[in-house]
Amino acid sequence: MTTDTRDFATWMGEVQARMEAALARLLPPAGAAPARLHQAMRYAVLEGGKRVRPLLAFAAGEVTGAAPERLEVAAAAVELIHAYSLVHDDMPCMDDDVLRRGKPTVHVEYDQATALLVGDALQSLAFFLLCEKPLADSPAAQIEMVRTLALATGSRGMAGGQAIDLESTGKPLELPELEFMHIHKTGALIRAAAVLGARCGSPLGAREAENLDRYAKCVGLAFQVVDDVLDCEASTATLGKTAGKDAIQGKATYVSAMGLARARELAEDLRRQAHTAIEPFGGRAARLAQLADFIVLRKF
Ligand code: GRG
């Protein structure tokens, strides 16, 4: 059983604050040359975002008794990859957006070439952080963390999902194709966050690792289903990014494929499946359970 009595909101606020401090420390200083690039990297990462992936890493770390000093580095690596993906996704050659996390996107605030380099440099920094200090109980386990993040980020993960997204814009997708796209584009990194967090602690048995992975898969997909619902329902001010864009751009979404009511039901079903997957962990998975609820019930 967990002895942590903090309520979810307090725990979440503490992890978010810890991550802000860790990211500020781990990113290159704004004054170090090349200063403009480093300033733009900090602009892209700091002071914004829900930090869902770091929260997942910390929650999974509670299952394996991981030290926060390790978790914050592993979580930072995942969050840097996420930030890079947002910077590139917002560029005119991709989603072409001007607002992210309530402020101008990086290519608007700086310029396109800088935005491209910010994404590149954030990605390299993520892998540097995963290699710099001991994060797992053995070098082999740590190499496995690097491998997990590399696979989740590349053409068989997030970048591949993004490629499918770009190819399919304006075309209706069947549900299995939509699911395939999102499992890669959004789900892969979310899964990696949970796996990396868990690996910072004591090794899980094969069955336990499978359970955690099933949870992370459900949560990753639920995250996207809810993102599609919110794109229809929430305002630009609430989201901090342009709302209603999916429909304008003719993007296939869970809402366009199955309607709003069924998309909400699907998110709820995935939440239940996520809870079931982590039942064997008992109290050690309390934060994971709360996080699944937060991801599905969020309004932003
Ligand atoms: C450019 C290789 C490459 C990939 C981009 C993730 C992605 C792939 C694009 C982002 C586009 C998008 C809006 C996807 C929907 C789900 C998603 C990742 C939303 C943003 O994540 P949040 O809500 O953002 O966690 P914050 O700002 O809270 O961190």
Side-chain angles (χ1 to χ4, degrees):
M1 270 297 282
T2 177
T3 51
D4 184 352
T5 54
R6 289 168 298 171
D7 66 20
F8 178 69
T10 305
W11 174 80
M12 180 164 78
E14 286 177 11
V15 173
Q16 287 167 333
R18 182 175 190 122
M19 283 310 300
E20 195 63 26
L23 288 162
R25 192 182 70 243
L26 296 167
L27 280 159
R36 186 175 158 79
L37 177 60
H38 290 155
Q39 282 157 19
M41 288 165 73
R42 298 179 75 87
Y43 177 87
V45 175
L46 299 176
E47 292 167 35
K50 299 177 284 299
R51 311 295 190 207
V52 163
R53 295 150 193 81
L55 287 163
L56 259 170
F58 270 78
E62 297 230 342
V63 174
T64 60
E69 295 74 21
R70 285 180 174 187
L71 284 168
E72 67 183 18
V73 178
V78 179
E79 187 66 10
L80 293 179
I81 296 286
H82 170 58
Y84 126 66
S85 81
L86 298 180
V87 173
H88 281 189
D89 183 64
D90 288 333
M91 289 183 70
C93 60
M94 295 214 192
D95 206 34
D96 193 9
D97 215 326
V98 294
L99 190 68
R100 172 69 65 185
R101 294 175 166 175
K103 50 188 194 180
T105 45
V106 175
H107 68 275
V108 170
E109 185 70 14
Y110 291 85
D111 53 69
Q112 284 195 52
T114 303
L116 199 63
L117 291 172
V118 163
D120 295 342
L122 290 177
Q123 177 162 202
S124 310
L125 180 58
F127 286 103
F128 171 77
L129 292 178
L130 278 190
C131 302
E132 200 198 7
K133 288 185 184 147
L135 296 179
D137 280 359
S138 67
Q142 190 152 342
I143 288 175
E144 197 51 39
M145 289 168 77
V146 177
R147 184 175 174 274
T148 299
L149 190 63
L151 276 176
T153 301
S155 63
R156 292 184 181 165
M158 182 180 77
Q162 178 77 345
I164 300 170
D165 190 352
L166 293 172
E167 276 164 22
S168 62
T169 299
K171 295 181 209 153
L173 287 185
E174 297 295 325
L175 266 181
E177 297 167 313
L178 191 63
E179 186 172 304
F180 183 86
M181 175 174 88
H182 287 312
I183 281 175
H184 290 80
K185 186 179 120 175
T186 322
L189 197 58
I190 288 183
R191 264 171 95 182
V195 172
L196 262 61
R199 280 206 174 261
C200 289
S202 314
L204 289 174
R207 177 75 61 81
E208 286 184 321
E210 229 172 76
N211 286 337
L212 180 68
D213 195 46
R214 188 143 26 90
Y215 162 90
K217 251 183 179 171
C218 292
V219 164
L221 201 53
F223 181 90
Q224 184 61 53
V225 177
V226 172
D227 201 73
D228 288 354
V229 168
L230 289 175
D231 188 68
C232 282
E233 286 190 326
S235 67
T236 297
T238 312
L239 295 179
K241 62 180 180 178
T242 314
K245 271 196 88 178
D246 293 340
I248 294 166
Q249 292 183 328
K251 288 221 165 163
T253 68
Y254 281 94
V255 176
S256 69
M258 54 174 27
L260 204 49
R262 279 188 59 214
R264 280 204 208 96
E265 276 167 31
L266 175 60
E268 191 48 38
D269 188 43
L270 288 164
R271 178 162 78 109
R272 274 194 295 269
Q273 288 183 47
H275 277 264
T276 306
I278 52 175
E279 263 167 21
F281 295 125
R284 286 186 295 154
R287 297 299 181 204
L288 285 175
Q290 291 167 336
L291 208 46
D293 295 345
F294 170 75
I295 284 170
V296 172
L297 303 175
R298 73 199 157 100
K299 300 284 175 240
F300 58 96

